Amino acid sequence: MALRCWRWWRWSARPGARPPPSRSIPTPGFCQQFSTQETPQICVVGSGPAGFYTAQHLLKHHTQAHVDIYEKQFVPFGLVRFGVAPDHPEVKNVINTFTHTARSDRCSFWGNVVVGRDVSVPELQEAYHAVVLSYGAEDHQTLGIPGEELPGVVSARAFVGWYNGLPENQELAPDLSCDTAVILGQGNVALDVARILLTPPEHLEKTDITESALGVLRQSQVKTVWIVGRRGPLQVAFTIKELREMIQLPGTRPILDPSNFLGLQDRIKDVPRPRKRLTELLLRTATEKPGMEEAARQALASRAWGLRFFRSPQQVLPTPDGQRVAGIRLAVTRLEGVGESTRAVPTEDVEDIPCGLVLSSVGYKSRPIDPSVPFDPKLGVIPNTEGRVVNVPGLYCSGWVKRGPTGVITTTMTDSFLTSQLLLQDLKAGLLPSGPRPGYTAIQALLSSRGVRPVSFSDWEKLDAEEVSRGQGTGKPREKLVDPREMLQLLGP
C-alpha cells in the first residue's frame, strides 16, 4: 500500500506526466495515514504479551512504522516464559507469533535495558514519536498481617518465578521439608502452585521446569496443600480447566467440605454458563460418591489438596523460637452483598492450620516506572483514558499496567490492540510530534555511555539454541539459563 501511495505522489509531482493506471490510484484519504511522518519511530517498554501484541498491531496497520521493544530481562516473552506453568506447554505456543513479530525488519528487541534506571522515559520520548508502557505487574500484593515476614512465607509470584527460571527468584530456596502448605488465594496461580507442589516429579521431568527447582521438588515432604479463599464456591477466581487438572492429578485426592455447598444447586441456575459449569464440577466433587475406579485411585493417593472457603488470613503463627512459620490463623468469614459486590466480613471465630509453608497468591501489582509517569498506587495502574496516559501526550500504556492484573492472554491481546489503534489514530490526526526522530540510534549512544550492553533478538536466539541444546540431553524441551553473567559470557562482547 505504501508503494501505491508513493507512485501517486511521484505522478502528481511530475508536470505533464500521464497518471498511472486507475488501479494504482489510492482512494481518497489513503496517503493521509502517513502524513505525520514517513517512518514513525515507536517504542514499547516490556516484551510480554501486552508488549508484543501492541507491536504486532502497530506493524500490521502502519506499513512504515518501526517499533523498538525494550525489556529489563535478558530474554523476551515476559509471563509466557516466566509465568505459564511448565506443564502447560501449549499456552507457550504464542511465542511463535511473537518471534515472527520480532524478526520483522521493522521491529527490534533490546533486552537487558531497565527503563527508569538505564534510560528514562523522558529520554525515550525525546527519541521516539510515541512510547507505549507495557511492562506488566511485576510485584505481588502483600497480606498486611503479623508474621508475614517470617521465613516460610513466600509470594506465589516469587515461587512461580523460581521454578520457571526468573533470574531474580533463583535464590528463593523454598523449604519443602514440611508436611502441609497453605496457599492464600483461589485463582489460577494458586492452583498452578498447588499442582506443581503435588505433581509427582517424574511427571515434570520432560517439561522446561528448571533442573534446580526439580531437584528441590524431588526432596519435597509436602503431602497436603490447603487453598484458602475469603469467599465461597461461587466466587472462586480459577477456571474449570485448572480445576479439572487438580481433580485428576495423579497420586492426589481432593478434600472438599459438602457443607460449603448447601443450597448451591438452586443458586446457580441463573449465573453465566462458565461459572455454572465450574460450580457444578465443584459441587459434584464435594457431594457425589466417586465411582469404583476413582475411589480406588483416591484410596491409593499419598497426597491431598483441599479448598477452604470463608476464611481470611489474620496472622502467620511462628514456631516457639520465632524463627519460622508454624501455622496460620484464619478468621471465619460471612458474605455480605449480592453478585459482584459480594464481600467477605470476618466474624469473631478463628481457625488455626498448622503448616510449614505459606504461599501468598492474593494478586499481582504494577510498580511505578519513572518519576515522570503518573501512577495510581492504590489501583496499581498508570492513570489512562483507553490507553492514553493522562496529561502526557505521546505516552500510552497497554496490558496489566493499564487495566490491572486481570484476564488471560487473549484479554491482553484485545486490550493491546485497542491501545495501538488509538495511537495510530493520534498519529493520523497529527497529535504526535512531527519530523524525524532518531529512535534507537539515540538510545544506543546513551546506553553505551552508561555501560549497558543491550541484548538483541539475534542474541536471544543464540541463548535459545543453547537452552534447547542443554535440554536435549535429558529429554526436556529446554534447560533455561538463569544466570545473567553466564548469558553475557555465552554472547561475548
mmCIF file with all atom_site columns, all heavy atoms in Angstrom, residues 197-219:
data_model
loop_
_atom_site.group_PDB
_atom_site.id
_atom_site.type_symbol
_atom_site.label_atom_id
_atom_site.label_alt_id
_atom_site.label_comp_id
_atom_site.label_asym_id
_atom_site.label_entity_id
_atom_site.label_seq_id
_atom_site.pdbx_PDB_ins_code
_atom_site.Cartn_x
_atom_site.Cartn_y
_atom_site.Cartn_z
_atom_site.occupancy
_atom_site.B_iso_or_equiv
_atom_site.pdbx_formal_charge
_atom_site.auth_seq_id
_atom_site.auth_comp_id
_atom_site.auth_asym_id
_atom_site.auth_atom_id
_atom_site.pdbx_PDB_model_num
ATOM 1   N N   . LEU A 1 197 ? 3.437  -28.269 43.397 1.00 0.00 ? 197 LEU A N   1
ATOM 2   C CA  . LEU A 1 197 ? 3.850  -28.847 44.681 1.00 0.00 ? 197 LEU A CA  1
ATOM 3   C C   . LEU A 1 197 ? 3.483  -30.328 44.801 1.00 0.00 ? 197 LEU A C   1
ATOM 4   O O   . LEU A 1 197 ? 4.203  -31.100 45.428 1.00 0.00 ? 197 LEU A O   1
ATOM 5   C CB  . LEU A 1 197 ? 3.201  -28.081 45.839 1.00 0.00 ? 197 LEU A CB  1
ATOM 6   C CG  . LEU A 1 197 ? 3.846  -26.757 46.254 1.00 0.00 ? 197 LEU A CG  1
ATOM 7   C CD1 . LEU A 1 197 ? 2.943  -26.027 47.249 1.00 0.00 ? 197 LEU A CD1 1
ATOM 8   C CD2 . LEU A 1 197 ? 5.236  -26.992 46.868 1.00 0.00 ? 197 LEU A CD2 1
ATOM 9   N N   . LEU A 1 198 ? 2.362  -30.719 44.208 1.00 0.00 ? 198 LEU A N   1
ATOM 10  C CA  . LEU A 1 198 ? 1.838  -32.072 44.404 1.00 0.00 ? 198 LEU A CA  1
ATOM 11  C C   . LEU A 1 198 ? 2.075  -33.018 43.222 1.00 0.00 ? 198 LEU A C   1
ATOM 12  O O   . LEU A 1 198 ? 1.881  -34.226 43.360 1.00 0.00 ? 198 LEU A O   1
ATOM 13  C CB  . LEU A 1 198 ? 0.330  -32.002 44.693 1.00 0.00 ? 198 LEU A CB  1
ATOM 14  C CG  . LEU A 1 198 ? -0.063 -31.303 46.008 1.00 0.00 ? 198 LEU A CG  1
ATOM 15  C CD1 . LEU A 1 198 ? -1.576 -31.186 46.118 1.00 0.00 ? 198 LEU A CD1 1
ATOM 16  C CD2 . LEU A 1 198 ? 0.493  -32.044 47.213 1.00 0.00 ? 198 LEU A CD2 1
ATOM 17  N N   . THR A 1 199 ? 2.468  -32.490 42.078 1.00 0.00 ? 199 THR A N   1
ATOM 18  C CA  . THR A 1 199 ? 2.704  -33.354 40.918 1.00 0.00 ? 199 THR A CA  1
ATOM 19  C C   . THR A 1 199 ? 3.913  -34.260 41.168 1.00 0.00 ? 199 THR A C   1
ATOM 20  O O   . THR A 1 199 ? 4.959  -33.785 41.603 1.00 0.00 ? 199 THR A O   1
ATOM 21  C CB  . THR A 1 199 ? 2.956  -32.505 39.658 1.00 0.00 ? 199 THR A CB  1
ATOM 22  O OG1 . THR A 1 199 ? 1.774  -31.775 39.348 1.00 0.00 ? 199 THR A OG1 1
ATOM 23  C CG2 . THR A 1 199 ? 3.298  -33.391 38.460 1.00 0.00 ? 199 THR A CG2 1
ATOM 24  N N   . PRO A 1 200 ? 3.795  -35.558 40.898 1.00 0.00 ? 200 PRO A N   1
ATOM 25  C CA  . PRO A 1 200 ? 4.963  -36.435 41.010 1.00 0.00 ? 200 PRO A CA  1
ATOM 26  C C   . PRO A 1 200 ? 6.106  -35.892 40.145 1.00 0.00 ? 200 PRO A C   1
ATOM 27  O O   . PRO A 1 200 ? 5.891  -35.573 38.968 1.00 0.00 ? 200 PRO A O   1
ATOM 28  C CB  . PRO A 1 200 ? 4.451  -37.779 40.469 1.00 0.00 ? 200 PRO A CB  1
ATOM 29  C CG  . PRO A 1 200 ? 2.966  -37.734 40.694 1.00 0.00 ? 200 PRO A CG  1
ATOM 30  C CD  . PRO A 1 200 ? 2.577  -36.297 40.497 1.00 0.00 ? 200 PRO A CD  1
ATOM 31  N N   . PRO A 1 201 ? 7.308  -35.742 40.723 1.00 0.00 ? 201 PRO A N   1
ATOM 32  C CA  . PRO A 1 201 ? 8.421  -35.125 39.979 1.00 0.00 ? 201 PRO A CA  1
ATOM 33  C C   . PRO A 1 201 ? 8.699  -35.777 38.632 1.00 0.00 ? 201 PRO A C   1
ATOM 34  O O   . PRO A 1 201 ? 9.074  -35.090 37.676 1.00 0.00 ? 201 PRO A O   1
ATOM 35  C CB  . PRO A 1 201 ? 9.607  -35.290 40.939 1.00 0.00 ? 201 PRO A CB  1
ATOM 36  C CG  . PRO A 1 201 ? 8.996  -35.337 42.290 1.00 0.00 ? 201 PRO A CG  1
ATOM 37  C CD  . PRO A 1 201 ? 7.690  -36.041 42.117 1.00 0.00 ? 201 PRO A CD  1
ATOM 38  N N   . GLU A 1 202 ? 8.463  -37.087 38.525 1.00 0.00 ? 202 GLU A N   1
ATOM 39  C CA  . GLU A 1 202 ? 8.733  -37.746 37.239 1.00 0.00 ? 202 GLU A CA  1
ATOM 40  C C   . GLU A 1 202 ? 7.811  -37.232 36.134 1.00 0.00 ? 202 GLU A C   1
ATOM 41  O O   . GLU A 1 202 ? 8.131  -37.361 34.948 1.00 0.00 ? 202 GLU A O   1
ATOM 42  C CB  . GLU A 1 202 ? 8.616  -39.264 37.372 1.00 0.00 ? 202 GLU A CB  1
ATOM 43  C CG  . GLU A 1 202 ? 7.257  -39.777 37.839 1.00 0.00 ? 202 GLU A CG  1
ATOM 44  C CD  . GLU A 1 202 ? 7.152  -39.907 39.365 1.00 0.00 ? 202 GLU A CD  1
ATOM 45  O OE1 . GLU A 1 202 ? 7.942  -39.238 40.075 1.00 0.00 ? 202 GLU A OE1 1
ATOM 46  O OE2 . GLU A 1 202 ? 6.279  -40.673 39.816 1.00 0.00 ? 202 GLU A OE2 1
ATOM 47  N N   . HIS A 1 203 ? 6.681  -36.637 36.516 1.00 0.00 ? 203 HIS A N   1
ATOM 48  C CA  . HIS A 1 203 ? 5.769  -36.064 35.515 1.00 0.00 ? 203 HIS A CA  1
ATOM 49  C C   . HIS A 1 203 ? 6.242  -34.698 35.038 1.00 0.00 ? 203 HIS A C   1
ATOM 50  O O   . HIS A 1 203 ? 5.733  -34.171 34.049 1.00 0.00 ? 203 HIS A O   1
ATOM 51  C CB  . HIS A 1 203 ? 4.351  -35.947 36.094 1.00 0.00 ? 203 HIS A CB  1
ATOM 52  C CG  . HIS A 1 203 ? 3.661  -37.260 36.277 1.00 0.00 ? 203 HIS A CG  1
ATOM 53  N ND1 . HIS A 1 203 ? 2.420  -37.533 35.767 1.00 0.00 ? 203 HIS A ND1 1
ATOM 54  C CD2 . HIS A 1 203 ? 4.054  -38.394 36.908 1.00 0.00 ? 203 HIS A CD2 1
ATOM 55  C CE1 . HIS A 1 203 ? 2.065  -38.779 36.090 1.00 0.00 ? 203 HIS A CE1 1
ATOM 56  N NE2 . HIS A 1 203 ? 3.049  -39.302 36.785 1.00 0.00 ? 203 HIS A NE2 1
ATOM 57  N N   . LEU A 1 204 ? 7.189  -34.086 35.770 1.00 0.00 ? 204 LEU A N   1
ATOM 58  C CA  . LEU A 1 204 ? 7.705  -32.772 35.401 1.00 0.00 ? 204 LEU A CA  1
ATOM 59  C C   . LEU A 1 204 ? 9.045  -32.850 34.681 1.00 0.00 ? 204 LEU A C   1
ATOM 60  O O   . LEU A 1 204 ? 9.537  -31.856 34.172 1.00 0.00 ? 204 LEU A O   1
ATOM 61  C CB  . LEU A 1 204 ? 7.858  -31.898 36.660 1.00 0.00 ? 204 LEU A CB  1
ATOM 62  C CG  . LEU A 1 204 ? 6.577  -31.546 37.418 1.00 0.00 ? 204 LEU A CG  1
ATOM 63  C CD1 . LEU A 1 204 ? 6.918  -30.853 38.734 1.00 0.00 ? 204 LEU A CD1 1
ATOM 64  C CD2 . LEU A 1 204 ? 5.667  -30.660 36.574 1.00 0.00 ? 204 LEU A CD2 1
ATOM 65  N N   . GLU A 1 205 ? 9.627  -34.038 34.646 1.00 0.00 ? 205 GLU A N   1
ATOM 66  C CA  . GLU A 1 205 ? 10.991 -34.183 34.129 1.00 0.00 ? 205 GLU A CA  1
ATOM 67  C C   . GLU A 1 205 ? 11.118 -33.819 32.659 1.00 0.00 ? 205 GLU A C   1
ATOM 68  O O   . GLU A 1 205 ? 12.206 -33.458 32.207 1.00 0.00 ? 205 GLU A O   1
ATOM 69  C CB  . GLU A 1 205 ? 11.486 -35.618 34.358 1.00 0.00 ? 205 GLU A CB  1
ATOM 70  C CG  . GLU A 1 205 ? 11.775 -35.926 35.815 1.00 0.00 ? 205 GLU A CG  1
ATOM 71  C CD  . GLU A 1 205 ? 12.111 -37.398 36.055 1.00 0.00 ? 205 GLU A CD  1
ATOM 72  O OE1 . GLU A 1 205 ? 11.915 -38.200 35.106 1.00 0.00 ? 205 GLU A OE1 1
ATOM 73  O OE2 . GLU A 1 205 ? 12.552 -37.734 37.156 1.00 0.00 ? 205 GLU A OE2 1
ATOM 74  N N   . LYS A 1 206 ? 10.042 -33.937 31.898 1.00 0.00 ? 206 LYS A N   1
ATOM 75  C CA  . LYS A 1 206 ? 10.101 -33.651 30.471 1.00 0.00 ? 206 LYS A CA  1
ATOM 76  C C   . LYS A 1 206 ? 9.541  -32.268 30.132 1.00 0.00 ? 206 LYS A C   1
ATOM 77  O O   . LYS A 1 206 ? 9.232  -31.982 28.972 1.00 0.00 ? 206 LYS A O   1
ATOM 78  C CB  . LYS A 1 206 ? 9.331  -34.719 29.682 1.00 0.00 ? 206 LYS A CB  1
ATOM 79  C CG  . LYS A 1 206 ? 9.831  -36.146 29.925 1.00 0.00 ? 206 LYS A CG  1
ATOM 80  C CD  . LYS A 1 206 ? 11.326 -36.301 29.671 1.00 0.00 ? 206 LYS A CD  1
ATOM 81  C CE  . LYS A 1 206 ? 11.802 -37.722 29.931 1.00 0.00 ? 206 LYS A CE  1
ATOM 82  N NZ  . LYS A 1 206 ? 13.284 -37.842 29.803 1.00 0.00 ? 206 LYS A NZ  1
ATOM 83  N N   . THR A 1 207 ? 9.409  -31.414 31.132 1.00 0.00 ? 207 THR A N   1
ATOM 84  C CA  . THR A 1 207 ? 8.944  -30.041 30.908 1.00 0.00 ? 207 THR A CA  1
ATOM 85  C C   . THR A 1 207 ? 10.148 -29.101 30.962 1.00 0.00 ? 207 THR A C   1
ATOM 86  O O   . THR A 1 207 ? 11.285 -29.532 31.170 1.00 0.00 ? 207 THR A O   1
ATOM 87  C CB  . THR A 1 207 ? 7.926  -29.616 31.974 1.00 0.00 ? 207 THR A CB  1
ATOM 88  O OG1 . THR A 1 207 ? 8.611  -29.401 33.237 1.00 0.00 ? 207 THR A OG1 1
ATOM 89  C CG2 . THR A 1 207 ? 6.842  -30.662 32.160 1.00 0.00 ? 207 THR A CG2 1
ATOM 90  N N   . ASP A 1 208 ? 9.898  -27.796 30.826 1.00 0.00 ? 208 ASP A N   1
ATOM 91  C CA  . ASP A 1 208 ? 11.007 -26.832 30.886 1.00 0.00 ? 208 ASP A CA  1
ATOM 92  C C   . ASP A 1 208 ? 11.199 -26.262 32.289 1.00 0.00 ? 208 ASP A C   1
ATOM 93  O O   . ASP A 1 208 ? 11.833 -25.213 32.464 1.00 0.00 ? 208 ASP A O   1
ATOM 94  C CB  . ASP A 1 208 ? 10.806 -25.711 29.868 1.00 0.00 ? 208 ASP A CB  1
ATOM 95  C CG  . ASP A 1 208 ? 9.612  -24.810 30.183 1.00 0.00 ? 208 ASP A CG  1
ATOM 96  O OD1 . ASP A 1 208 ? 8.901  -25.073 31.185 1.00 0.00 ? 208 ASP A OD1 1
ATOM 97  O OD2 . ASP A 1 208 ? 9.379  -23.846 29.425 1.00 0.00 ? 208 ASP A OD2 1
ATOM 98  N N   . ILE A 1 209 ? 10.703 -26.943 33.323 1.00 0.00 ? 209 ILE A N   1
ATOM 99  C CA  . ILE A 1 209 ? 10.993 -26.538 34.691 1.00 0.00 ? 209 ILE A CA  1
ATOM 100 C C   . ILE A 1 209 ? 12.508 -26.573 34.892 1.00 0.00 ? 209 ILE A C   1
ATOM 101 O O   . ILE A 1 209 ? 13.208 -27.390 34.293 1.00 0.00 ? 209 ILE A O   1
ATOM 102 C CB  . ILE A 1 209 ? 10.278 -27.466 35.704 1.00 0.00 ? 209 ILE A CB  1
ATOM 103 C CG1 . ILE A 1 209 ? 10.336 -26.871 37.124 1.00 0.00 ? 209 ILE A CG1 1
ATOM 104 C CG2 . ILE A 1 209 ? 10.843 -28.880 35.663 1.00 0.00 ? 209 ILE A CG2 1
ATOM 105 C CD1 . ILE A 1 209 ? 9.452  -27.601 38.114 1.00 0.00 ? 209 ILE A CD1 1
ATOM 106 N N   . THR A 1 210 ? 13.038 -25.676 35.709 1.00 0.00 ? 210 THR A N   1
ATOM 107 C CA  . THR A 1 210 ? 14.485 -25.657 35.887 1.00 0.00 ? 210 THR A CA  1
ATOM 108 C C   . THR A 1 210 ? 14.939 -26.900 36.659 1.00 0.00 ? 210 THR A C   1
ATOM 109 O O   . THR A 1 210 ? 14.220 -27.420 37.512 1.00 0.00 ? 210 THR A O   1
ATOM 110 C CB  . THR A 1 210 ? 14.946 -24.407 36.657 1.00 0.00 ? 210 THR A CB  1
ATOM 111 O OG1 . THR A 1 210 ? 14.409 -24.437 37.983 1.00 0.00 ? 210 THR A OG1 1
ATOM 112 C CG2 . THR A 1 210 ? 14.495 -23.135 35.947 1.00 0.00 ? 210 THR A CG2 1
ATOM 113 N N   . GLU A 1 211 ? 16.135 -27.353 36.346 1.00 0.00 ? 211 GLU A N   1
ATOM 114 C CA  . GLU A 1 211 ? 16.665 -28.553 36.988 1.00 0.00 ? 211 GLU A CA  1
ATOM 115 C C   . GLU A 1 211 ? 16.851 -28.344 38.486 1.00 0.00 ? 211 GLU A C   1
ATOM 116 O O   . GLU A 1 211 ? 16.626 -29.256 39.282 1.00 0.00 ? 211 GLU A O   1
ATOM 117 C CB  . GLU A 1 211 ? 17.999 -28.951 36.342 1.00 0.00 ? 211 GLU A CB  1
ATOM 118 C CG  . GLU A 1 211 ? 18.492 -30.334 36.748 1.00 0.00 ? 211 GLU A CG  1
ATOM 119 C CD  . GLU A 1 211 ? 17.490 -31.442 36.436 1.00 0.00 ? 211 GLU A CD  1
ATOM 120 O OE1 . GLU A 1 211 ? 16.883 -31.407 35.347 1.00 0.00 ? 211 GLU A OE1 1
ATOM 121 O OE2 . GLU A 1 211 ? 17.306 -32.337 37.287 1.00 0.00 ? 211 GLU A OE2 1
ATOM 122 N N   . SER A 1 212 ? 17.228 -27.138 38.879 1.00 0.00 ? 212 SER A N   1
ATOM 123 C CA  . SER A 1 212 ? 17.405 -26.865 40.316 1.00 0.00 ? 212 SER A CA  1
ATOM 124 C C   . SER A 1 212 ? 16.076 -26.944 41.053 1.00 0.00 ? 212 SER A C   1
ATOM 125 O O   . SER A 1 212 ? 15.995 -27.502 42.159 1.00 0.00 ? 212 SER A O   1
ATOM 126 C CB  . SER A 1 212 ? 18.046 -25.492 40.525 1.00 0.00 ? 212 SER A CB  1
ATOM 127 O OG  . SER A 1 212 ? 17.246 -24.470 39.960 1.00 0.00 ? 212 SER A OG  1
ATOM 128 N N   . ALA A 1 213 ? 15.000 -26.417 40.461 1.00 0.00 ? 213 ALA A N   1
ATOM 129 C CA  . ALA A 1 213 ? 13.686 -26.497 41.086 1.00 0.00 ? 213 ALA A CA  1
ATOM 130 C C   . ALA A 1 213 ? 13.220 -27.951 41.151 1.00 0.00 ? 213 ALA A C   1
ATOM 131 O O   . ALA A 1 213 ? 12.658 -28.393 42.161 1.00 0.00 ? 213 ALA A O   1
ATOM 132 C CB  . ALA A 1 213 ? 12.673 -25.651 40.323 1.00 0.00 ? 213 ALA A CB  1
ATOM 133 N N   . LEU A 1 214 ? 13.454 -28.692 40.091 1.00 0.00 ? 214 LEU A N   1
ATOM 134 C CA  . LEU A 1 214 ? 13.051 -30.099 40.075 1.00 0.00 ? 214 LEU A CA  1
ATOM 135 C C   . LEU A 1 214 ? 13.780 -30.882 41.159 1.00 0.00 ? 214 LEU A C   1
ATOM 136 O O   . LEU A 1 214 ? 13.187 -31.748 41.813 1.00 0.00 ? 214 LEU A O   1
ATOM 137 C CB  . LEU A 1 214 ? 13.351 -30.694 38.694 1.00 0.00 ? 214 LEU A CB  1
ATOM 138 C CG  . LEU A 1 214 ? 12.778 -32.074 38.397 1.00 0.00 ? 214 LEU A CG  1
ATOM 139 C CD1 . LEU A 1 214 ? 11.270 -32.113 38.592 1.00 0.00 ? 214 LEU A CD1 1
ATOM 140 C CD2 . LEU A 1 214 ? 13.130 -32.501 36.976 1.00 0.00 ? 214 LEU A CD2 1
ATOM 141 N N   . GLY A 1 215 ? 15.043 -30.549 41.389 1.00 0.00 ? 215 GLY A N   1
ATOM 142 C CA  . GLY A 1 215 ? 15.797 -31.215 42.454 1.00 0.00 ? 215 GLY A CA  1
ATOM 143 C C   . GLY A 1 215 ? 15.186 -30.973 43.820 1.00 0.00 ? 215 GLY A C   1
ATOM 144 O O   . GLY A 1 215 ? 15.103 -31.890 44.647 1.00 0.00 ? 215 GLY A O   1
ATOM 145 N N   . VAL A 1 216 ? 14.744 -29.749 44.085 1.00 0.00 ? 216 VAL A N   1
ATOM 146 C CA  . VAL A 1 216 ? 14.102 -29.430 45.365 1.00 0.00 ? 216 VAL A CA  1
ATOM 147 C C   . VAL A 1 216 ? 12.759 -30.156 45.479 1.00 0.00 ? 216 VAL A C   1
ATOM 148 O O   . VAL A 1 216 ? 12.416 -30.695 46.534 1.00 0.00 ? 216 VAL A O   1
ATOM 149 C CB  . VAL A 1 216 ? 13.911 -27.905 45.503 1.00 0.00 ? 216 VAL A CB  1
ATOM 150 C CG1 . VAL A 1 216 ? 13.106 -27.576 46.763 1.00 0.00 ? 216 VAL A CG1 1
ATOM 151 C CG2 . VAL A 1 216 ? 15.259 -27.198 45.546 1.00 0.00 ? 216 VAL A CG2 1
ATOM 152 N N   . LEU A 1 217 ? 11.990 -30.183 44.395 1.00 0.00 ? 217 LEU A N   1
ATOM 153 C CA  . LEU A 1 217 ? 10.683 -30.850 44.417 1.00 0.00 ? 217 LEU A CA  1
ATOM 154 C C   . LEU A 1 217 ? 10.820 -32.357 44.620 1.00 0.00 ? 217 LEU A C   1
ATOM 155 O O   . LEU A 1 217 ? 9.951  -32.986 45.233 1.00 0.00 ? 217 LEU A O   1
ATOM 156 C CB  . LEU A 1 217 ? 9.925  -30.550 43.125 1.00 0.00 ? 217 LEU A CB  1
ATOM 157 C CG  . LEU A 1 217 ? 9.422  -29.095 42.987 1.00 0.00 ? 217 LEU A CG  1
ATOM 158 C CD1 . LEU A 1 217 ? 8.988  -28.807 41.558 1.00 0.00 ? 217 LEU A CD1 1
ATOM 159 C CD2 . LEU A 1 217 ? 8.276  -28.824 43.959 1.00 0.00 ? 217 LEU A CD2 1
ATOM 160 N N   . ARG A 1 218 ? 11.903 -32.936 44.124 1.00 0.00 ? 218 ARG A N   1
ATOM 161 C CA  . ARG A 1 218 ? 12.129 -34.372 44.341 1.00 0.00 ? 218 ARG A CA  1
ATOM 162 C C   . ARG A 1 218 ? 12.295 -34.691 45.828 1.00 0.00 ? 218 ARG A C   1
ATOM 163 O O   . ARG A 1 218 ? 11.959 -35.788 46.275 1.00 0.00 ? 218 ARG A O   1
ATOM 164 C CB  . ARG A 1 218 ? 13.373 -34.827 43.575 1.00 0.00 ? 218 ARG A CB  1
ATOM 165 C CG  . ARG A 1 218 ? 13.181 -34.962 42.067 1.00 0.00 ? 218 ARG A CG  1
ATOM 166 C CD  . ARG A 1 218 ? 14.345 -35.723 41.448 1.00 0.00 ? 218 ARG A CD  1
ATOM 167 N NE  . ARG A 1 218 ? 14.216 -35.828 39.997 1.00 0.00 ? 218 ARG A NE  1
ATOM 168 C CZ  . ARG A 1 218 ? 14.907 -35.094 39.126 1.00 0.00 ? 218 ARG A CZ  1
ATOM 169 N NH1 . ARG A 1 218 ? 15.786 -34.194 39.566 1.00 0.00 ? 218 ARG A NH1 1
ATOM 170 N NH2 . ARG A 1 218 ? 14.728 -35.254 37.823 1.00 0.00 ? 218 ARG A NH2 1
ATOM 171 N N   . GLN A 1 219 ? 12.824 -33.738 46.573 1.00 0.00 ? 219 GLN A N   1
ATOM 172 C CA  . GLN A 1 219 ? 13.049 -33.947 48.005 1.00 0.00 ? 219 GLN A CA  1
ATOM 173 C C   . GLN A 1 219 ? 11.883 -33.444 48.868 1.00 0.00 ? 219 GLN A C   1
ATOM 174 O O   . GLN A 1 219 ? 11.943 -33.520 50.088 1.00 0.00 ? 219 GLN A O   1
ATOM 175 C CB  . GLN A 1 219 ? 14.331 -33.204 48.443 1.00 0.00 ? 219 GLN A CB  1
ATOM 176 C CG  . GLN A 1 219 ? 15.582 -33.628 47.683 1.00 0.00 ? 219 GLN A CG  1
ATOM 177 C CD  . GLN A 1 219 ? 15.896 -35.101 47.856 1.00 0.00 ? 219 GLN A CD  1
ATOM 178 O OE1 . GLN A 1 219 ? 15.816 -35.614 48.976 1.00 0.00 ? 219 GLN A OE1 1
ATOM 179 N NE2 . GLN A 1 219 ? 16.233 -35.783 46.765 1.00 0.00 ? 219 GLN A NE2 1
#
